[in-house]
Amino acid sequence: MLMTGGASAAPDHNPWYHGKYGRNRVVHLTLTATVGTVWLLSSVLKDQFSTGCRWCEPPGFDRSVRNALVWDNNGRAHMLSNINAYAVGPALGLGLLILSDHDASPSRLIDDLLPIIETTVFCQLFTSVAKLAVARKRPYVYFDTPGIPSSNNDNLSFWSGHSSFGFAITTSAGLIAHWRGYWTEPYIWGLGITASLTTEYLRIAGDRHYLSDVLVGGLVGVGAGLLVPRLMRRDLKLVPVANGAAVVGRF
């Protein structure tokens, strides 16, 4: 259980949901499945809602960084970014948590992995909505990069879904490992952050995103990774105050 008041935190080896909150496992499994389904549907149907750019002109620093980092073989960078974000990152975050406790029961694995999965589906759904709302022109469209065919994704640059996905997994997995006192925690943080930063670089090198896209995407992923598991664990609560409401919790 987490300690407060300046005391050091002891490893939490209790079930994730226990006591009167035992039913929350089912609640969050259902919530994760529902939000994940909505996200997948939004990904499939986003072409129906994609429009022309609302944010078309990149600022000077985005131009400069793009021109310095973009690869001549942008297709290779794009492919590597997909592998890094959607294969290497999840393998590190989820895989290292699974390896943390070889005697873990199925329910324990669910309780370790569910916060990570719920974090990513909420983060990616939020990202999809933001992309459609902002409608930023991608760099390969603005700079008329040869070899990249036009698509309905041309104006979905802000913010980077690859970046938010990678950092959401790394941050939530690192938080769970910290709470559990797992020996894999430093590896999750070190390897996960390295993989996520590499993905951000490759998204710029592949001419799919600007620097501002990947920076904001990364911050959104970190924020989701720090917030969602705490909400699931009820470390954060919304309480009424005189002029509205306030968030209180343990850190």
Side-chain angles (χ1 to χ4, degrees), residues 16 114-127 159 161 163-176 179 189 216-233 236:
W16 183 268
L114 181 58
I116 304 170
I117 299 171
E118 185 166 321
T119 296
T120 55
V121 296
F122 268 106
C123 185
Q124 291 306 95
L125 179 59
F126 185 37
T127 296
W159 55 76
S163 300
S164 62
F165 184 83
F167 273 103
I169 290 178
T170 295
T171 307
S172 55
L175 197 59
I176 302 304
W179 284 340
W189 287 116
V216 173
L219 289 174
V220 170
V222 169
L226 293 174
L227 178 63
V228 175
R230 283 191 166 92
L231 290 172
M232 294 177 68
R233 213 167 92 133
L236 298 177

Side-chain angles (χ1 to χ4, degrees), residues 70-224:
V70 68
W71 289 8
D72 292 334
N73 190 343
N74 55 73
R76 178 177 296 173
H78 175 55
M79 178 189 67
L80 290 174
S81 72
N82 287 333
I83 295 172
N84 207 55
Y86 298 124
V88 176
L92 290 173
L94 300 177
L96 286 173
L97 271 186
I98 293 172
L99 291 174
S100 299
D101 185 359
H102 66 279
D103 291 327
S105 64
S107 60
R108 176 63 174 275
L109 288 175
I110 290 173
D111 293 341
D112 279 0
L113 301 182
L114 181 58
I116 304 170
I117 299 171
E118 185 166 321
T119 296
T120 55
V121 296
F122 268 106
C123 185
Q124 291 306 95
L125 179 59
F126 185 37
T127 296
S128 295
V129 172
K131 283 176 174 288
L132 290 170
V134 176
R136 185 182 194 185
K137 182 179 291 187
R138 291 189 185 268
Y140 69 79
V141 181
Y142 182 82
F143 290 96
D144 197 20
T145 304
I148 304 179
S150 178
S151 74
N152 288 326
N153 288 317
D154 288 351
N155 297 307
L156 300 178
S157 188
F158 187 84
W159 55 76
S160 168
H162 287 64
S163 300
S164 62
F165 184 83
F167 273 103
I169 290 178
T170 295
T171 307
S172 55
L175 197 59
I176 302 304
H178 177 71
W179 284 340
R180 296 294 199 191
Y182 284 151
W183 63 270
T184 53
E185 181 189 353
Y187 301 100
I188 291 173
W189 287 116
L191 296 175
I193 290 174
T194 299
S196 299
L197 290 175
T198 301
T199 296
E200 294 193 340
Y201 163 71
L202 289 170
R203 294 308 285 167
I204 301 174
D207 218 19
R208 265 62 180 185
H209 284 291
Y210 293 107
L211 176 64
S212 56
D213 298 332
V214 300
L215 289 180
V216 173
L219 289 174
V220 170
V222 169

